[in-house]
Amino acid sequence: MTSQPGRHMTAEIAEQPVLFDNLVRRAAEIAAVAEQIKRRAPRFVLLAARGSSDHAALYAKYLIEVLLQLPAGLVSASTTTLYGAQPDLTDVLLITVSQSGGSPDLVEVTESARRRGALTVAVTNTDDSPLNQVAELSVDVGAGKEFAVAATKTYSTTLLALYLLVDAIRGGKAESALDIGALAKSALDGSEGAVAEAVQRYRFVERILATGRGYSYASAAEAALKLAETSYLAARAYSGADLLHGPVAAVDGETAVLAVTSAGKGGDAMREVLEVVRSRGADVCAVGSASADVAAALRIGVPMCPEELSPVLEILPLQRLALGLALARGGDPDSPRGLLKVTKTR
């Protein structure tokens, strides 16, 4: 007997509010890691990741640069694994983000960086992974086993774990995240009808563009990936600023645009972008706590929260949208064609 398509992804999306509560209750564990980072006083932060974890790392880059006022960059793993580059990483913090902790290139980058003087931190969902064995410090995101190939709960718990880590480094006590579980449940329950409408609206579309600014750029990138891997759509993501620097020329009446717009400076900066996009005839679906404040044909709201936490909430209806579109188009998002749960690259 075949299993019901999408049953794992459906269940794992629904688990997230409880997982968020559990993670916040473990904030003291993450704060202990943060204390060791503070003692080392890094001058620069590097982030290494692949796939969905790369989008979580992009989110962390914004957190680090805005909340910690430290420069941060995303690692090109191949400079180490293929080209053998060995830069001096004294006083550098390397955070490697990997749900499985098993990708050989990320393990090699972390091991190499530690030899070259970096303080290395693994953020994973697998506490006995090869990555954890080579990193000096580790943070367990605590999502539990994820059966669907498309990452949902491991992605969002990674976001929250990264927020809690950065917040603790700046001296915070996770105050802004205390009610994140309840807000997540409200985001899922309150967006159900609008997501169902979006599924019907876009079930036959072949081209989707996702866009956001600031913290929400990571959500746009993750939404595009989820749509591509579960519904096989030609989905691309751009920051709102980059969109106006050229790609907007390809936007027309056949383009569906997912605009991630949460309250704050990033959401404010999206207003002008969406006016331009709408003027070119695109069908805009705005997602986020500021979705009611921008030009859009369809809006999917989520509860208000501090801007730096908004990606934890705004990704939830976007995951549901990817799930719904995959099912409506006759696919099984639990097992997309040609994909494995752990992708090993070098």
Side-chain angles (χ1 to χ4, degrees), residues 164-178:
L164 292 171
L165 180 65
V166 172
D167 181 61
I169 293 171
R170 69 168 171 171
K173 305 292 185 184
E175 300 96 331
S176 295
L178 293 179

Side-chain angles (χ1 to χ4, degrees), residues 331-345:
D332 182 1
D334 286 346
S335 302
R337 64 191 183 210
L339 294 181
L340 299 173
K341 186 63 183 169
V342 179
T343 302
K344 295 188 176 182
T345 51

Side-chain angles (χ1 to χ4, degrees), residues 247-261:
V248 72
V251 172
D252 56 25
E254 301 299 313
T255 309
V257 174
L258 289 178
V260 190
T261 55

Side-chain angles (χ1 to χ4, degrees), residues 71-147:
L74 302 177
V75 168
S76 298
S78 61
T79 61
T80 295
T81 61
L82 300 184
Y83 295 96
Q86 300 286 316
D88 181 1
L89 297 181
T90 304
D91 297 329
V92 170
L93 169 64
L94 174 79
I95 301 175
T96 306
V97 187
S98 172
Q99 292 146 20
S100 70
S103 187
D105 54 354
L106 297 180
V107 173
E108 184 176 342
V109 164
T110 305
E111 191 171 29
S112 175
R114 187 172 179 179
R115 286 197 309 268
R116 289 177 280 128
L119 172 60
T120 54
V121 180
V123 179
T124 80
N125 190 46
T126 312
D127 59 6
D128 60 350
S129 68
L131 178 61
N132 278 28
Q133 293 169 20
V134 300
E136 187 172 343
L137 303 171
S138 64
V139 173
D140 180 4
V141 307
K145 179 72 173 177
E146 189 172 58
F147 294 95

Side-chain angles (χ1 to χ4, degrees), residues 52-67:
S52 286
S53 294
D54 205 26
H55 305 149
L58 176 60
Y59 167 63
K61 182 178 186 294
Y62 277 88
L63 289 174
I64 291 161
E65 292 184 341
V66 176
L67 302 185

Side-chain angles (χ1 to χ4, degrees), residues 8-289:
H8 292 309
M9 190 173 177
T10 300
E12 287 159 4
I13 290 172
E15 282 182 61
Q16 292 171 103
V18 171
L19 293 174
F20 293 170
D21 282 337
N22 293 343
L23 189 52
V24 171
R25 280 195 286 269
R26 291 176 41 232
E29 295 176 29
I30 298 173
V33 175
E35 281 302 313
Q36 295 188 65
I37 294 171
K38 287 165 70 174
R39 283 199 292 270
R40 293 281 286 271
R43 61 182 172 82
F44 193 92
V45 183
L46 289 172
L47 296 136
R50 292 288 192 195
S52 286
S53 294
D54 205 26
H55 305 149
L58 176 60
Y59 167 63
K61 182 178 186 294
Y62 277 88
L63 289 174
I64 291 161
E65 292 184 341
V66 176
L67 302 185
L68 301 183
Q69 301 285 295
L70 284 174
L74 302 177
V75 168
S76 298
S78 61
T79 61
T80 295
T81 61
L82 300 184
Y83 295 96
Q86 300 286 316
D88 181 1
L89 297 181
T90 304
D91 297 329
V92 170
L93 169 64
L94 174 79
I95 301 175
T96 306
V97 187
S98 172
Q99 292 146 20
S100 70
S103 187
D105 54 354
L106 297 180
V107 173
E108 184 176 342
V109 164
T110 305
E111 191 171 29
S112 175
R114 187 172 179 179
R115 286 197 309 268
R116 289 177 280 128
L119 172 60
T120 54
V121 180
V123 179
T124 80
N125 190 46
T126 312
D127 59 6
D128 60 350
S129 68
L131 178 61
N132 278 28
Q133 293 169 20
V134 300
E136 187 172 343
L137 303 171
S138 64
V139 173
D140 180 4
V141 307
K145 179 72 173 177
E146 189 172 58
F147 294 95
V149 170
T152 54
K153 65 178 183 174
T154 54
Y155 175 74
S156 61
T157 52
T158 298
L159 295 183
L160 182 56
L162 287 164
Y163 170 78
L164 292 171
L165 180 65
V166 172
D167 181 61
I169 293 171
R170 69 168 171 171
K173 305 292 185 184
E175 300 96 331
S176 295
L178 293 179
D179 60 349
I180 195 69
L183 291 175
K185 186 176 188 308
S186 178
L188 286 170
D189 292 346
S191 63
E192 191 171 359
V195 168
E197 183 179 348
V199 168
Q200 293 307 308
R201 191 178 190 95
Y202 302 129
R203 64 182 301 182
F204 298 114
V205 76
E206 293 301 327
R207 186 159 54 106
I208 287 185
L209 186 152
T211 184
R213 288 204 67 180
Y215 297 105
S216 296
Y217 178 30
S219 301
E222 176 64 9
L225 175 61
K226 284 291 160 287
L227 291 168
E229 67 185 359
T230 60
S231 294
Y232 319 131
L233 286 163
R236 293 288 303 273
Y238 297 96
S239 83
D242 286 336
L243 181 60
L244 297 185
H245 277 266
V248 72
V251 172
D252 56 25
E254 301 299 313
T255 309
V257 174
L258 289 178
V260 190
T261 55
S262 285
K265 293 180 180 178
D268 290 345
M270 285 297 295
R271 290 197 181 97
E272 178 188 356
V273 176
L274 295 184
E275 286 171 5
V276 174
V277 168
R278 286 267 285 176
S279 73
R280 298 189 61 83
D283 191 280
V284 176
C285 175
V287 180
S289 58

